[in-house]
Amino acid sequence: MTARRVPLLDLAALHAPIQREIDAAIRAVVDSQQFILGEAVARLEKQLAAYCGAVYAIGCASGSDALYLALVALGIGAGDRVYVPAFTFFATAGAVTQAGAEPVFVDIDEATFNLDAAHLDKMIREKPDGKAVIAVHLYGGAADMDAIGAVAARHGLVVIEDGAQSIGGEYNDRRLLSIGRIGCLSFFPTKNLGCFGDGGMLTANDAELAERLRALRVHGSRERYRHDEVGVNSRLDALQAAVLLAKAPYLDEWTQARQRNAALYTGLLEDVAEVELPRAAAYQTRHVFNQYVIRCQRRDELKAHLAGQGVGSEIYYPIPLHLQPCYEGLGYREGQLPASEQACREVLALPVHSALTGADIEYVCGRLREFYGTV
Ligand SMILES: Cc1ncc(COP(=O)(O)O)c(C=O)c1O
């Protein structure tokens, strides 16, 4: 087979066909000279609230800020506990610490990589009196919201959704980011809907909460130069909103391409004994495959082999959050959250982005099979 280059992500290929539309949208913002919030941000908020099945959406500066603002708006701060999965991007826990609260790390369900509701219940008993749980929909697949919601209701916890990787995903036909009290989105360039820098958004169904979030992102101000509480500066730039508005009409088409690519992998790798393919959860009605993640033996060697053959891959994530150096003081030890620790040793994300061709995927699978000697 002739060598080719298959990067993990190819933003140039994604943007090239719609570059004129993006350029025109950027030009319109420059011509308007309205760079902060304004009409473009308001239009995007309306459009994405509807897309996520939520009543309100509030743009902010990043997905990390969305998580922080969600916690502050819910009154969570010093002395509070928030339950988070130990296997996720750092921001999920970092936002809790930044808000002054303590993250309590919960193990994941090994089949879905998402929060294990039974273990959540166990951790609540060990470290009680928490205020909230953050359910992350990792890689674009839904966490078990009914099971998590039931445990949360039993213990009086608010549920926040970290949907940074899962725009358009569904849980039992319900759009993610509309199920918890607040949903958090990221528009980091690698996301399924990414902007040209940092950007984020919050979703909510409660008018009062939405209003508080709107105030918190502009220093707690509801009325110009009057501050009812202390907030932060976390606004979405109009330029980023314009880029997102230009890209949003293509999101479903891109998601379908990701799903098609995932199905191709599954068909081509099913019989490789050393590889475990992503498993579909019983409640999963729309996985949006921000990442296609396999578990594999000799993971680091496979990654190096693929890199040598021009294939990009990545480890999301190599260190579980309970073992991060910054959380040493919380007293967790290795072996305590085994499913998260095992995932960190085994996961590898393969290219799944929408600009890939069937031949690209066949090439990746061919190189992988070659590594395991199953060509
Ligand atoms: C699960 C998860 N949560 C939060 C974030 C933070 O988003 P941002 O990078 O926009 O701050 C990310 C982004 O990488 C993420 O993947």
Side-chain angles (χ1 to χ4, degrees):
M1 194 180 266
T2 41
R4 47 172 80 207
R5 223 181 66 76
V6 187
L8 187 64
L9 185 64
D10 187 348
L11 289 176
L14 181 76
H15 293 140
I18 58 165
Q19 196 58 54
R20 273 168 196 266
E21 290 157 64
I22 296 174
D23 288 349
I26 291 174
R27 186 74 245 169
V29 172
V30 173
D31 289 345
S32 79
Q33 301 285 307
Q34 163 111 49
F35 294 113
I36 305 286
L37 297 175
E39 191 271 333
V41 172
R43 200 146 41 93
L44 182 73
E45 288 173 340
K46 199 163 169 229
Q47 204 169 306
L48 292 190
Y51 188 79
C52 296
V55 183
Y56 305 98
I58 301 102
C60 64
S62 69
S64 304
D65 274 9
L67 287 160
Y68 171 78
L69 288 166
L71 293 161
V72 174
L74 292 166
I76 292 162
D80 293 330
R81 283 175 164 159
V82 177
Y83 306 93
V84 299
F87 185 68
T88 171
F89 179 60
F90 180 76
T92 314
V96 175
T97 307
Q98 249 185 331
E102 176 196 335
V104 175
F105 296 110
V106 179
D107 214 354
I108 54 162
D109 166 34
E110 55 155 23
T112 63
F113 298 107
N114 284 320
L115 202 95
D116 177 344
H119 194 254
L120 170 64
D121 200 53
K122 185 166 177 283
M123 286 310 287
I124 295 171
R125 286 168 210 286
E126 245 173 70
K127 293 178 180 268
D129 303 324
K131 286 275 168 60
V133 52
I134 304 182
V136 181
H137 307 301
L138 206 66
Y139 307 144
D144 190 349
M145 294 305 287
D146 283 350
I148 293 166
V151 175
R154 249 197 332 273
H155 297 279
L157 304 178
V158 176
V159 181
I160 297 169
E161 292 182 78
D162 180 345
Q165 302 183 6
S166 64
I167 188 165
E170 285 175 9
Y171 174 85
N172 286 340
D173 295 328
R174 293 171 75 189
R175 275 282 149 115
L176 303 181
L177 295 143
S178 69
I179 304 171
R181 266 318 276 299
I182 298 183
C184 301
L185 264 172
S186 164
F187 302 124
F188 187 76
T190 60
K191 305 303 188 224
N192 288 15
L193 181 63
C195 60
F196 285 6
D198 275 311
M201 195 166 275
L202 293 128
T203 52
N205 294 323
D206 175 319
E208 225 173 282
L209 198 51
E211 213 233 353
R212 185 154 188 213
L213 288 165
R214 261 177 221 292
L216 283 169
R217 74 174 171 180
V218 287
H219 292 295
S221 171
R222 289 175 169 83
E223 192 186 303
R224 212 170 156 84
Y225 301 127
R226 180 191 158 98
H227 302 268
D228 305 307
E229 62 181 324
V230 177
V232 291
N233 172 7
S234 182
R235 300 169 297 214
L236 182 62
D237 287 349
L239 282 169
Q240 300 302 350
V243 170
L244 292 164
L245 281 165
K247 290 179 69 174
Y250 300 96
L251 179 58
D252 280 331
E253 191 184 302
W254 293 336
T255 300
Q256 281 154 18
R258 286 173 178 274
Q259 291 167 329
R260 183 200 63 213
N261 292 339
L264 276 176
Y265 274 123
T266 302
L268 290 167
L269 296 177
E270 236 162 14
D271 60 321
V272 182
E274 294 88 346
V275 167
E276 192 184 311
L277 302 176
R279 287 190 245 165
Y283 54 76
Q284 183 76 65
T285 37
R286 194 173 192 244
H287 193 307
V288 295
F289 289 103
N290 180 238
Q291 302 296 343
Y292 182 87
V293 175
I294 59 169
R295 287 175 184 268
C296 48
Q297 293 175 23
R298 295 191 285 137
R299 189 261 320 267
D300 296 350
E301 283 170 66
L302 171 63
K303 184 175 190 300
H305 172 79
L306 293 175
Q309 303 294 319
V311 176
S313 65
E314 195 49 91
I315 299 164
Y316 302 115
Y317 299 91
I319 306 175
L321 298 188
H322 65 294
L323 301 180
Q324 288 289 350
C326 65
Y327 288 132
E328 237 175 61
L330 293 176
Y332 292 81
R333 50 188 164 68
E334 205 169 337
Q336 205 172 343
L337 304 176
S340 299
E341 293 166 27
Q342 188 176 351
C344 289
R345 288 190 296 269
E346 294 181 348
V347 293
L348 191 66
L350 301 178
V352 74
H353 64 84
S354 56
L356 292 170
T357 64
D360 288 329
I361 302 220
E362 278 172 29
Y363 179 78
V364 176
C365 295
R367 306 293 66 77
L368 185 146
R369 298 184 74 102
E370 177 177 275
F371 175 77
Y372 288 115
T374 56
V375 182

